[in-house]
Amino acid sequence: MSLWTSLEPASATVDPGSSTRVRLRLRNTGDVVDEYRFEPVGAVAPWTTVEPPTLRLYPGTTGTVELTFAPPRTPDATAGPNPFAVRITPTEHPDAVTVPEGNLTITPFSEVRAELVPHTVKGRFRGRPRLAIDNLGNTKVTASLSGSDTGDRLSYEIQPANVQIEPGRAAFVNTTLRPRQIIWFGSKEEQPYRLAVRRSGVQPTEVDGTFVQRGFLPRWLATALSITLALAIAFVMIWISYKPRVVSLAEAKSEEVGSTLAPPSPTATPTPPPQPTVTPPAPVVENTQGAAAGAEGGGGGGGGGGGKATVTARPPQDTAATAVNRLAKDDPTGRHICYRAFVTGDGWQKPVCDGTFSGTTGQNKPIKALNIAVYGAGGSAANAFLHKPDSTDGKGQWSPSWTAIVADGKNNYIGSSKKDAPAMLGFAINIGSGQVCQTARVHGFDWGPQGCAEQRPKYIFGGALENDRWLEAVKFTI
């Protein structure tokens, strides 16, 4: 069997969100009638269609099919040259596959979105909003950040002040707002402000927010202190000017003086409570691994009085420990981490290891518990950051304490698989030796950047702090 092919043109350019076409010509140079099936392959195959999908040619005849490329206007359409190919399979000779290749250049586009979390912050001396920046284009974004307001009434501390964001990723910037003048007495004041994401050659992306500055002391307390001070001054003046009446009956008699009132004792002013912070607690080793029982479920009930109890053995469950011990058996000198997620509505997933993602993407199914096991890492300890239904600041809360340090090859559980258990927003983990790394995906965002930490007492945090950013998927490596 012989086949001649030609791509016209062999190289093409297309804008994301539009389409372009390439013609594929082929000639049956064999001596039998044959039918050819066409299948796009390569990175751009999901956006490629072939019309017609099959073509029947007599010996010596030529046919034409059209390849249509329609990359979406999303970060998945990587800017720059992208090779493509078409697999041609003849029906009469299925082993004689031909794969002509070409090149498709996707033009770059830039799209950046920014969001303040929360939009309104309150405080007496400072406010701490976070700015989430999403790169929805197909090229890397380099940007600087700045803040401004009417009247220059606020100062801005932005960390980091410059960011680089890969396509389809997001960056989180911590901002501290400080008023230039403190309101000692009186009611709160609202101060609008604006954060700008500036990029070279394009208009800045601006996000508006509000800082509500509270007075250090309420107005009624200032009035009460003023009245108290005035009364105290008046009392002192009366005390100084008062002259006791003296009745002298003889030189030997003592003088009689009138009694006086002692000045009132001052009233202590209560100190305002410190603003709440969310900091992962340090690992502790006193607690036992109580979360394991909650994650795996309770035991069975006892038999009735006098009768024979029938026990049905459950098949052994494939956990993170069983998975990591299988790897250790084949690679006893290596380092491994295995893990699995308890997904709302799906239950426990199969364990995965060493950078494979566990959980779901784009299904709005929160993770409620994680099962982790390590090998060659000196054991692991972890803690879960959970949804808080009665939160007043829009953030979740940590579990009461970390898990105990769980030895290599053993199961470590955080969170809970109970029906009414809260969803996980994030987690903290550390190991006894070497480095542990994590990548997390939370609701409303794509995969975040990888974060790593050296051995304990250092730890790495993954996920989010906000109640509406639950954890959807995780990856771990050591």
Side-chain angles (χ1 to χ4, degrees):
M1 193 285 293
S2 299
L3 179 66
W4 172 86
T5 62
S6 174
L7 284 170
E8 300 175 357
S11 298
T13 302
V14 62
D15 297 327
S18 62
S19 63
T20 188
R21 294 182 177 181
V22 172
R23 179 176 296 174
L24 173 62
R25 298 180 61 200
L26 63 161
R27 180 185 300 121
N28 183 356
T29 58
D31 53 4
V32 295
V33 178
D34 210 340
E35 184 177 65
Y36 304 94
R37 289 185 290 107
F38 305 94
E39 179 185 2
V41 294
V44 300
W47 317 317
T48 308
T49 57
V50 182
E51 290 293 337
T54 61
L55 187 64
R56 186 178 180 86
L57 294 178
Y58 287 91
T61 60
T62 302
T64 303
V65 297
E66 284 193 345
L67 308 179
T68 302
F69 302 97
R73 190 176 175 83
T74 66
D76 296 331
T78 306
N82 293 267
F84 69 88
V86 180
R87 182 186 292 117
I88 305 174
T89 305
T91 304
E92 296 296 329
H93 303 84
D95 295 333
V97 175
T98 302
V99 186
E101 298 179 353
N103 188 71
L104 178 68
T105 300
I106 300 177
T107 59
F109 77 95
S110 178
E111 183 176 352
V112 172
R113 292 181 186 175
E115 178 185 4
L116 270 175
V117 183
H119 179 268
T120 301
V121 291
K122 302 177 181 180
R124 292 179 175 85
F125 306 109
R126 62 180 176 268
R128 291 175 175 171
R130 296 183 76 202
L131 182 64
I133 308 172
D134 295 294
N135 181 5
L136 304 180
N138 63 352
T139 58
K140 180 188 292 186
V141 166
T142 300
S144 61
L145 298 106
S146 62
S148 62
D149 60 272
T150 304
D152 194 25
R153 297 175 61 185
L154 301 174
S155 65
Y156 303 85
E157 181 181 335
I158 302 175
Q159 293 293 336
N162 299 279
V163 293
Q164 287 190 340
I165 312 172
E166 296 293 336
R169 296 296 182 92
F172 294 90
V173 179
N174 296 319
T175 304
T176 301
L177 312 175
R178 289 188 172 87
R180 299 188 185 276
Q181 292 184 349
I182 298 174
I183 302 176
W184 293 104
F185 302 100
S187 58
K188 61 186 178 182
E189 294 183 4
E190 292 187 357
Q191 175 60 47
Y193 68 94
R194 176 172 295 171
L195 297 182
V197 181
R198 303 183 183 277
R199 294 170 289 151
S200 177
V202 298
Q203 290 294 326
T205 302
E206 298 179 331
V207 184
D208 294 329
T210 302
F211 174 61
V212 179
Q213 184 180 1
R214 296 169 174 166
F216 184 74
L217 295 175
R219 187 181 299 275
W220 66 266
L221 184 58
T223 303
L225 290 176
S226 299
I227 294 173
T228 302
L229 180 60
L231 292 174
I233 293 174
F235 183 82
V236 170
M237 296 302 295
I238 293 172
W239 172 266
I240 293 174
S241 62
Y242 176 71
K243 293 182 179 180
R245 183 178 180 181
V246 179
V247 178
S248 178
L249 299 178
E251 291 295 327
K253 292 188 67 173
S254 301
E255 295 182 346
E256 295 179 3
V257 296
S259 61
T260 59
L261 296 175
S265 59
T267 303
T269 302
T271 303
Q275 294 194 8
T277 58
V278 178
T279 305
V284 296
V285 300
E286 290 81 359
N287 293 342
T288 60
Q289 194 176 346
E296 294 298 329
K308 255 188 178 179
T310 301
V311 179
T312 302
R314 292 184 179 180
Q317 191 174 26
D318 195 7
T319 66
T322 59
V324 82
N325 286 324
R326 283 195 298 268
L327 291 178
K329 184 177 180 181
D330 297 333
D331 183 19
T333 61
R335 289 165 49 85
H336 301 285
I337 182 170
C338 295
Y339 42 93
R340 59 179 179 145
F342 187 92
V343 178
T344 302
D346 294 345
W348 284 109
Q349 295 184 335
K350 293 286 187 181
V352 296
C353 304
D354 297 333
T356 304
F357 95 85
S358 180
T360 60
T361 58
Q363 300 182 28
N364 294 328
K365 294 182 178 181
I367 290 176
K368 297 180 69 173
L370 287 174
N371 170 209
I372 305 169
V374 297
Y375 181 81
S380 67
N383 198 357
F385 192 72
L386 306 173
H387 177 84
K388 184 180 181 182
D390 57 350
S391 174
T392 58
D393 58 359
K395 295 181 173 61
Q397 63 185 355
W398 287 98
S399 294
S401 61
W402 285 54
T403 64
I405 297 176
V406 180
D408 284 355
K410 301 295 184 181
N411 282 313
N412 194 353
Y413 291 88
I414 55 174
S416 175
S417 62
K418 292 182 179 180
K419 183 178 181 181
D420 57 349
M424 287 181 59
L425 309 180
F427 57 86
I429 184 173
N430 64 21
I431 57 177
S433 63
Q435 188 181 69
V436 59
C437 300
Q438 64 79 30
T439 310
R441 176 171 178 148
V442 297
H443 174 64
F445 291 90
D446 203 342
W447 288 98
Q450 186 184 66
C452 301
E454 300 298 330
Q455 62 195 40
R456 72 176 63 89
K458 295 184 179 180
Y459 61 86
I460 185 66
F461 173 78
L465 302 179
E466 294 78 16
N467 262 331
D468 57 352
R469 303 291 187 193
W470 59 76
L471 193 63
E472 289 187 342
V474 296
K475 303 176 185 176
F476 292 102
T477 57
I478 61 173

